[in-house]
Structure formats: structure tokens, C-alpha cells
Amino acid sequence: MRIACIAVCALSIFFTASAAFAQTSSAVLQGEVTDPSGAAVPGAAITLTGPGGSVRTSGTGASGRYRIESLDPGSYSLQVLHPGFVQFERRNIDVATGMTQTANARLEIRQETQKITVSDAASQLGIDPSQSAGQMVLRGSDLDAFSDDPEDLTNELQMLAGPAPGQNGGQIFIDGFSDGIMPPKASIREIRVNQNPFSAEYDRVGFGRIEITTKPGSDRYHGQASFDFGDRALTARNPFVTSPIVPNYQQEIIAGNFGGPLGKKASLFVDVNERITDENSVLNYSALDASFNPVTINGAVVAPSHRFSISPRVDYALKPSNTLSMRYSRVDNDARNQGINVQMFDLASQAYSVNGGQQSVQAIDSATIGTSALNDARFQYLRDTNTQAGVSSAPEIIVQGAFTGGGTFPLNFSADSKSEFQDNVTLLRGTHTFTFGARLREESLRQQSTSNFNGEFIFSSSPGGTSAIDVYQRNQALTAAGSSQAAVAALGFGPSEFLLTAGTPAATVKIFDASLYVQDDWRIRPNLLLSTGLRYEGQSAVSDHADPAPRFGLAWAPGGRRGSTPKTVIRAGGGIFYDRFTSNLLMNATLRNGIDQTQYLIRNPSFFPAIPDLATLTALGAGQGGTSIQYRIDPRLQVPYVIQAAAGIERQLPHGASLSVNYTSTRGVHELLTRDINAPLPSAYNSNGVAAGPRPFGNAAGDIYQYEGSGVFRQNQLIVSVNAKVNRKISLFGYYVYSRAMSDADSPAAMPGNAYALREDYGRAAYDGRHRAFISANSTLPWGIRMAPFIFMQSGLPYNLTSGVDTNGDGNPNDDRPAFATDLSRPSVVATRFGAFDTTPGNLPNAVIVPRNYLEGPGILSLNVRLSRSWSFGESGRGGGNTGSSAIQGGQSIQNGGLSGSSGQTGLASVFGGVATAKRYNLTLTVSFRNALNNVNPATPIGNLSSPFFGQSVTLNTFGPLPGAGPNAGAGNRHIELQLRLTF
């Protein structure tokens, strides 16, 4: 299938490229519309009056560019209109056959206008990818609905972008780079979401892609300072903390930025942000009291953190058609009591401190070559360091489904250095727009890991049906009564497993990947656009070095006439998109290869809680069914890729609204998972229902955990989105997604229930949320109050039902699923409100194993609201005032058939940018309500049958779109935060 797609795509590129250079140029008038500071003005109405009184109309796209083709020779008059600006007119523009004439327009601000907001909400629907109704562009006040905290902003933007296909979620680009530090919101110039999903320029599919552009300086000095404050007094009580008193919570964000000219050819912009937070980590677990009876412990631990960032940027006009931008960014983090996972029932002793940071240097050189070529070269160096020190280095004790105590690790350290170079060229040839380029990336990861060097005891449910907490209870009671651990273990009340890692803690790995691409956007007719592209990728560290990825797209405006704005656009596209084998997986396979590090696994140890020396562990392992565990990479591994096809229809509606309906079908191939290729064969089971067949590589080889691309997924999505600028006071955006996703692997770390029958795990994917909706709005209320709410809704996600018993013998008790019970008299049967399940199905004839992700968690509903009021004062001086936003830098796009940088500006217009207000100072007071309704959104319930919390949620859902969402990603309980901002 891939070969056929590649062949078709290559032939298409060949023929369209051949046709391009045979074209005869027609008369064209194109240009750029900017405001007094040089920033692009999208949505401007263009009227062109020609010979004999003929009239042609158009509009500027997101970059402020317009292009009108197929003009008759003669003299023309140009008129440009946009609310808030003085009407622009230019006469006697001579156009000749075969000529491309440029007529730019710089608009003057009306004196009575106090504030101008540039927004793409008024952009016209068109066949160009940048004119899709399904994309969204945010600038200026459009960002008011989002958090000022960079981590929370990341999660909110991913919610806005919607679910991307597969397990990885959407991708975020900062100034064109795939890795980077989320900048403070005040330094963001523009955010684009879901633009051109099948472009060959990008490695991943465009649905869910977020492109962020930071601000440059301007031709006048300007800046802002702000203070954000949140406190326990403004926070609702967490319903999962039984104390009636709200735990300590406070957050302060002090931020500021400043920009202005550095001579006549350069500008500076610098932002500084400091966040000081006392967050809370919830504790909710089952432990034993003084009489060895299980009790529930509930509370919270204060987790303080400090984040400081600074990022200066300099833009320099090397010449009128060439701009160099350089940006340095530094983030320092310091935090304590991190890593407590209430879903794992962590005690406070599981916490660790974090100290680290990230630094990056970026250089972007954008040059316009003549009137038909643009070259954009980029380089980034990024270094991320992280040191983690455990609160305790005592042996870890895991009682499945009840608590995780003891220590975590002594000390972990990592230093990750990444270099990235891109060069992208855009070329206009008649009705063809060619883009081609390359990307080179290199990563060096140095890591010291002492995880599990302190040892780990695991108490699991007994095959007879006794829960893990009951096993631990009997263990402690018998030990207190004077019984030896050997005697306790012989009775079946000892740990089920002991694991310890020993060896060299440090290693360094390197990964290099490269890609080439070429794309042709061919405007076959004024209402028909065909896009074809081919991307070629490869990487080191795995045997798969050659990954061709063809892409295509089609946009057709039925009934569209030359020069008119279409009311309907039909789009279709498809392509192949590869993922990469990452450095953290390579590091794990390098460190834990059985040579540099060895992980010992002793089953049913008799020495709890003491830890013998390594020689004793080796001897005990041979006599107690012990093994070693090593990681490796499948020598024939193929990197994952998805094949996606999409079709959609877009419609321009009255009152500035547009509707987009898209259907996508995605198939994932070679999805990464971890499989124990030396697990006992399920050909025989012992009396406890545990696999007891021979191991393919022998018992001496131990457990071999192999990273391999054996997984698959299928996903279908129906996406409906609406974008409307109702009037000058109200605009809104919203989407609804219906999705079905099936897979047999949810992550590279996921292990199958049966290592020899992967397809038995095929079922609902962990990201299979069937319904998802998002609505955001921006409105102006009486008395100058601006309100920016957004609502997020999602149906429940599935979760796995596990037995808590390692019945498949792979050393991991977290992946084994029970069977539907047929004999309720068996001691291994557990009756629940979801049905009865047998935890040891191995020796059960005709057992039907519960499907993966069989249960479904609760849904989500959250409303965030930001209310703000601004006061302007002070004279603006020399027609200046403050600048609320700045010109875009660092990227290219083709807008309405014209050539532009990402701002449609070059030279000095690229260096100086901004939308001016008529007053020198603006003071804004903002009140933010996160989860304003204080709706309780429970987290995914516990799926371990042996847990006393089975089927219950033990904390709130922060519902970040990806794992690792920040503590307030979805607000959890209601938070009210205040902000005061001064702009000058």
C-alpha cells in the first residue's frame, strides 16, 4: 500500500512540476496591507477598479497579503477598507500582460479609535489551506480566555486543538521548532491551530498541531508588567480531601516584557516571568493501624515550586529583504514534594525534589529572493537538565491497590542536549507554489539513574483470592507475634516479588534523524487547488532508516468564480506520518541491558524487609524461582506510522460565521509496546493458575523485555467546528468530535496480557473518548468589561480491569486481566457491581478473558471564565501609544496565492511590528475562574480487583489532554485568580 501511494504521489509531483515551468504568466496584482507599525492587517476588503469600470474584489489573508490574478492590461485604482482605519486609495496602477505588479498599502489609524484588535475571525473562506474554516488563529484579545501560567496554557491549547490521532496527542511548535519552552502568554504574538493538516513540511498529521509565534520588538518602546495572585481563600475545597479545611495553596506570577528599537535596523523584545506556587499533592491510601487493621488515610502535602524564565529576542534587518532573528530562552525550576501519585496510593515518602532548567538558543534567517522566492533557515540548540533527589532511599514497599511506601530512589540526573537545523524554500511559478526543504536533528542524552537501586517489595493478591492489603496485614501481624519471615512466606503471606537493580547508574545515548520534503500546491483553477508532497525520513538507533511519506490534498470551491469569495469549499487529503523511536526508550534499553545494569527478580522472597547482598540474591534467585530482567530493542524494529485519510466540507454562513465538517480515518501500524519474549509459555499452568510452561530462551536468560513495533490502532473521527464573529463585540469558536479508537497497545511501556497472543489485547484504546466538545468565546459587556469563557466537555475514557496477580509469569502484575467468572464457588472469584471475575483463569477451562479497557470512567465538564476591565490614560506622544502585539517572525506561508513570511513582511516591516492604541498606558484588571461551576470531575477509577478502592475514584481529574498534565490543567476544584496588568 505504501509503495502504491509513493508511486502515485511521485508521478503527480513530476507532472505538476513539469507543467509549472511551462506556464505563461498572466497579469497579477498583489500586495501587503499593514498598520502604522508594520504589522499585518488580515480581513481587509480589497476593491480594484479597472478599465471600463470593471470591479474586482478580494480580501487579505492571515498574513495581510492579497493577490488578484488574470487581470486585463490597463490602469487600475486600488481601495482598501478595514474597520478602525482610514480608507486607503491608490490610483493609476499600470498592469501589463505577463506582469506581476505589487501595490502595498499602509493604513492609518482613525483618531477616534482607542484600541484596534487584529483577529483572523473575519478572514474569508478560500481554497488555500490558510483559509480553512477548520483552523483557528489567535491574537491579542483572542488569548484572553487562556491561562497566564505557561504549563496550564499548554494543556488548554491542546484542549483547544482537539484530539490528534493516536496515543501521542497534538504537537506544539514554538517559532517553528518541534521542541521548546512554552513562552509566557504575554510574549506570544500569534497561535495557529490545525493549519494545513497534510503538508509534507511536517512530520506529524496537522490535526491537533499548534504553531506559536513569539513577539519581536517594535519601532517604539513599549512593554507591560503584570501580577497574578491565587490563594486558599479563593479556592474551593477538594472533595477528595476529607478535612473541612482547604489545604494551603497560593500562587504568585510576576511577569513583564519590554520591546523597542535598537537603531534603525534592529529591535529588541525581552520577557521575564516568575511563578511561585504552593500546590498540594493529595494522599489517599489504605494502611494498617496499631492493631494491624486496614484504615483509610487521607490528606494533602504541600508541594512548593518556583519557576523563573527570561527570554530576550533581537531582530535585525540585514537588508530590506533579509531579516535575522535571534532568541535566547532560559527556564529554571525548583520544586519539592513532587511525584506523589494518588492513583498509585503513594505515601509522602514517595516524594522527591526537583532542580533543573532548560536553555535554548534560536536563530532564524528569513530572506525574500526577488518577487517569487522565500528562504527560511532556522537553527536551535536546546539543553535540558534535571536533578531528582528522593525524600527517602529506604526500600520501596508496594501493596497492590492499597499503598506505595518506603523510598523512591537516591538520586537521578539527566542532561538532554538537542540541536535542530531547518531550511525551507518557497517558490512561485505561475499557478504553482513549490515548497521544499530539510530538517536535521541530533540529540545527546546523558543520564544517571538509581531507580530501584534501593530495592522494591511487591505484595500482590494471592491466587486463593486474598487481597494484597489482607496479605500484608497477616504478614505484619504474624511478624509482630514472633514468626520469622521464612515461616510467614511459607504460609503465603510474604511479598510476591522482590526487585533490585544493580550496576552502573550512568550512560549516554545519541540519536540523529533527518528528513527531506517537497510539496507542490497547484492552483489548477481559481476554485481548485491540488497539493501533492513527498517526505522522506530516517533515524539512527534502530534498523529502520528509510521512511517515505507521501501526502496529498485537494480543495474545491464548487460554483466559485474568478475573483469572488467562495461560500463552500470541499477538502480531501491523506498521507503517511511517521513517529520516532525516542531517546528515553534507547536509554532504558542501554542502561538495563543485563550488562551495565542487572535487575534481579526474586519470587516469593523470605527476607522481607531486609535486603541481602548481590551474591546472596543470585543464589536465592536460583532456588526461589528468581530471574533477571533486561531490556532490548527488537533488531527488526520498524518505527510507527499512521495512514490517515480525511474529507470535509466548509461553508461560509451569514454574520461572519463559518462551519466545517470533517471525517478522518486513521490506521496506526507498528505501534510501540514492550513484550517479554522469554515469558513462560501458556502451555501449562500450576495449581495457582500461573503460567508454568517452558521459556523460549531458557530459565537462565531471565525475563527479556523487548521494545517492538507490533501494535496497531484504528481510529475514526467526525469533527464539526464553528467559527463566528457575530459582531464587533462577540466572537466564538467551538468544535464537537465523535471518535472511535481501537488498539492493542496504549504506550511503548504497555505490556500485553499474553506475550504470545498480542491480538487478544485488541479493544478500546485508552484515549477512546467517544464524545468531546469545546466552546470558547470573546465578548464585550456593558461598562467595558470583556468576558472570555471556554467550556470543555468529554465523555468518560476507558480503563483496564486487572487482577493484581502475575498469572502470565512476565514479572509484571499490572497487565494481567481476569476472566468472566463461571463458577462463583471458586475462591479466586471476586464479585463486584460490574459482575463477577475470576483472578486466576489459567487453569479454568474455556475461560473468557475480560477485554482490555473494559470499564469506562466518568466524564468531564468544566467552565473557565476570564473577566477583565481596562482603563486607558496618558497622551500617546508622537502618534504612538502602546503596542499591543507585534509582527510575526519565524515561518513562511502562502496566503491567497501570494508569497510572504509568516507575517507577510520583510526587512524593516519584519523587525518593527505592533498594533497601536491611542493612549500611552493601559491598566487591566482580570479575574479568572477555573472550573467556575466547581463541578466535581473524578479521575479514572481504580481498576485493580484486589484494591479496597476498586471501582472508585480517589482524586480529581486534571484532564490534561496528555499524561503529565499540570496540577491545575483542568482546574480540579474551583480556583479564582486575580491579575493586574499595566501596558505602556
Side-chain angles (χ1 to χ4, degrees), residues 846-857:
N846 303 317
V848 178
I849 303 298
V850 172
R852 190 173 61 91
N853 293 328
Y854 176 68
L855 302 177
E856 183 173 298

Side-chain angles (χ1 to χ4, degrees), residues 708-773:
E708 58 186 41
S710 303
V712 297
F713 82 84
R714 286 180 171 84
Q715 186 174 24
N716 294 282
Q717 293 177 309
L718 179 66
I719 307 169
V720 180
S721 61
V722 177
N723 198 341
K725 186 173 180 63
V726 180
N727 52 45
R728 295 184 61 182
K729 294 184 177 182
I730 301 175
S731 62
L732 60 89
F733 170 81
Y735 68 76
Y736 164 77
V737 179
Y738 175 76
S739 175
R740 292 181 64 91
M742 305 289 285
S743 74
D744 54 18
D746 288 326
S747 74
M751 297 185 69
N754 184 344
Y756 302 102
L758 300 184
R759 295 302 173 258
E760 287 183 1
D761 279 6
Y762 191 77
R764 291 187 66 181
Y767 45 86
D768 182 32
R770 294 294 167 87
H771 305 277
R772 181 170 179 155

Side-chain angles (χ1 to χ4, degrees), residues 462-464 688-690 803 805 807 818-819 826 828 838-844:
S462 71
N688 292 324
V690 178
S803 63
V805 182
T807 54
R826 284 169 55 91
S828 56
D838 199 315
T839 59
T840 57
N843 52 16
L844 189 67

Side-chain angles (χ1 to χ4, degrees), residues 349-374:
S349 62
Q350 286 289 294
Y352 53 82
S353 64
V354 177
N355 184 273
Q358 190 180 75
Q359 297 185 70
S360 67
V361 177
Q362 298 175 347
I364 304 172
D365 182 55
S366 298
T368 301
I369 305 169
T371 60
S372 60
L374 178 69

Side-chain angles (χ1 to χ4, degrees), residues 590-605:
T590 301
L591 275 176
R592 304 170 70 177
N593 58 5
I595 300 173
D596 295 282
Q597 287 186 7
T598 300
Q599 186 171 37
Y600 298 90
L601 189 158
I602 310 298
R603 289 182 169 85
N604 303 312

Side-chain angles (χ1 to χ4, degrees), residues 28 52 154 179 202 235 279 297 300 427 439 473 567 722 785 830 833 864 889:
V28 174
T154 299
D179 291 295
Y202 300 100
T235 303
E279 188 53 75
I297 307 298
L427 198 62
R439 184 185 70 183
Q473 178 191 24
K567 296 296 184 181
V722 177
I785 298 174
V830 179
R833 60 190 174 94
N864 287 15
Q889 280 296 301

Side-chain angles (χ1 to χ4, degrees), residues 140-147 185 778 786 788 866 868 926 981:
S141 61
D142 296 330
L143 296 171
D144 285 348
F146 300 94
S147 173
K185 190 179 75 174
N778 205 319
R786 295 189 63 85
R866 286 171 68 93
S868 62
T926 301
R981 182 176 69 244

